[in-house]
Amino acid sequence: QQKDKVRQFTLFAQASEKVALEALKRADWNLEQAIDAYFAEMPPARGSSGTQSATNSKKIEELFLRYKEKDADVVGAEGIERLCNDLEISHLDISILIISWKLKAQTMCEFSRAEFINGFNVLGCDSVEKLKERLPRLRSELNDDAKFADLYMFCFTYYKAPTQRTLDLDVAIAVWRIVLKDRFKFLDLWCQFLEEKHSKSISRDTWSLLLEFSKHINADMSNYDAYGAWPVLIDDFVEWARPK
């Protein structure tokens, strides 16, 4: 079993067996804790000072130019799709949401020059290869509930039309299917309920409280408090779903 944990650690962290052994021993052979501690202790990427920083900035600029639109100074939907292809991930993978979150993108399917260059500098990535290597570490950050909640709420603002206060229903369902996959036991049922019984957009309050609902509701919904401060939409869902 210990050998298997060493193998998993080396594959996930791209580290040597010696490093894996030391990290696992410090974590009393708890694989998840060992990986989290390893990435937390990892020194910052090169490029934080001196000549290397200037070189990295130039490479990041070249990377931006590779993906930017021909007639606009932004990386648009086509450029993001090409970035996904180069990273060998689907555009429906949560990884691209994580990247958008880390770049602090303000507009759906668009990275401004400043967002792209500043974000890649902060990530310490000046090439697609480095970003691809960094993705497992970025995904592991979502094991932290606070960071996942931050990403989750980022999604509402990111996918919402700038002139609207709410999120279009079809967009909300699509994003929920990505971001809450394997995190919300009633995800498919929730989406079915919305498609069949709801036709309005989703408020920030409902978006936020669904995350709390997903974390605390038990398998038979017997712990649901109908007199709690839940949005009406969640009340209606529980009433609809309980007999199923």
Side-chain angles (χ1 to χ4, degrees):
Q1 189 178 5
Q2 289 183 348
K3 286 184 178 180
D4 189 54
K5 288 184 177 181
V6 169
R7 182 183 62 81
Q8 290 181 57
F9 186 103
T10 57
L11 288 173
F12 187 87
Q14 296 297 296
S16 66
E17 287 192 6
K18 181 180 178 182
V19 169
L21 275 169
E22 291 174 354
L24 285 162
K25 285 177 181 177
R26 285 198 300 271
D28 198 24
W29 292 94
N30 183 303
L31 180 62
E32 185 174 336
Q33 288 181 14
I35 290 173
D36 287 347
Y38 172 76
F39 283 129
E41 294 166 6
M42 183 178 286
R46 290 186 305 162
S48 57
S49 62
T51 306
Q52 185 67 31
S53 177
T55 303
N56 284 349
S57 295
K58 183 178 179 181
K59 288 182 179 179
I60 293 170
E61 175 81 16
E62 291 171 352
L63 203 59
F64 173 77
L65 294 175
R66 185 198 303 181
Y67 294 110
K68 75 179 286 293
E69 300 292 292
K70 291 181 180 179
D71 55 354
D73 202 35
V74 297
V75 175
E78 290 185 7
I80 292 174
E81 186 170 353
R82 283 189 279 118
L83 176 61
C84 288
N85 290 337
D86 290 345
L87 289 169
E88 298 180 323
I89 60 173
S90 164
H91 67 283
L92 298 177
D93 192 294
I94 196 171
S95 297
I96 194 61
L97 278 181
I98 296 172
I99 293 169
S100 302
W101 171 54
K102 288 295 184 180
L103 267 54
K104 300 183 178 181
Q106 297 295 306
T107 305
M108 179 173 62
C109 297
E110 182 178 298
F111 303 146
S112 70
R113 176 184 287 267
E115 289 167 351
F116 189 96
I117 290 175
N118 293 341
F120 272 69
N121 264 313
V122 170
L123 288 171
C125 297
D126 58 15
S127 68
V128 171
E129 290 72 23
K130 286 183 180 178
L131 182 56
K132 189 186 294 187
E133 291 173 1
R134 187 62 56 87
L135 282 179
R137 176 181 176 180
L138 296 177
R139 292 190 198 101
S140 75
E141 288 188 21
L142 301 188
N143 293 328
D144 182 303
D145 285 346
K147 288 183 178 179
F148 178 78
D150 191 59
L151 168 69
Y152 179 81
M153 291 310 301
F154 161 83
C155 288
F156 182 87
T157 303
Y158 179 61
Y159 284 103
K160 178 179 67 64
T163 57
Q164 295 181 356
R165 295 170 61 87
T166 56
L167 187 60
D168 288 347
L169 180 62
D170 58 339
V171 175
I173 290 173
V175 178
W176 270 321
R177 287 194 182 279
I178 296 170
V179 78
L180 289 182
K181 182 182 179 182
D182 300 326
R183 287 178 176 268
F184 180 23
K185 62 178 70 71
F186 297 115
L187 178 59
D188 289 339
L189 205 56
W190 169 252
C191 292
Q192 181 188 343
F193 164 74
L194 294 176
E195 290 167 344
E196 293 180 5
K197 302 294 183 180
H198 191 66
S199 59
K200 298 179 181 178
S201 56
I202 300 298
S203 69
R204 179 182 290 272
D205 186 51
T206 296
W207 180 271
S208 174
L209 287 173
L210 184 73
L211 179 59
E212 293 306 307
F213 175 79
S214 71
K215 290 192 292 187
H216 298 299
I217 195 69
N218 61 21
D220 62 1
M221 299 189 184
S222 60
N223 65 333
Y224 185 74
D225 181 5
Y227 298 100
W230 297 107
V232 172
L233 187 59
I234 293 180
D235 285 335
D236 291 346
F237 167 67
V238 172
E239 184 177 354
W240 175 84
R242 266 180 171 162
K244 294 185 179 297

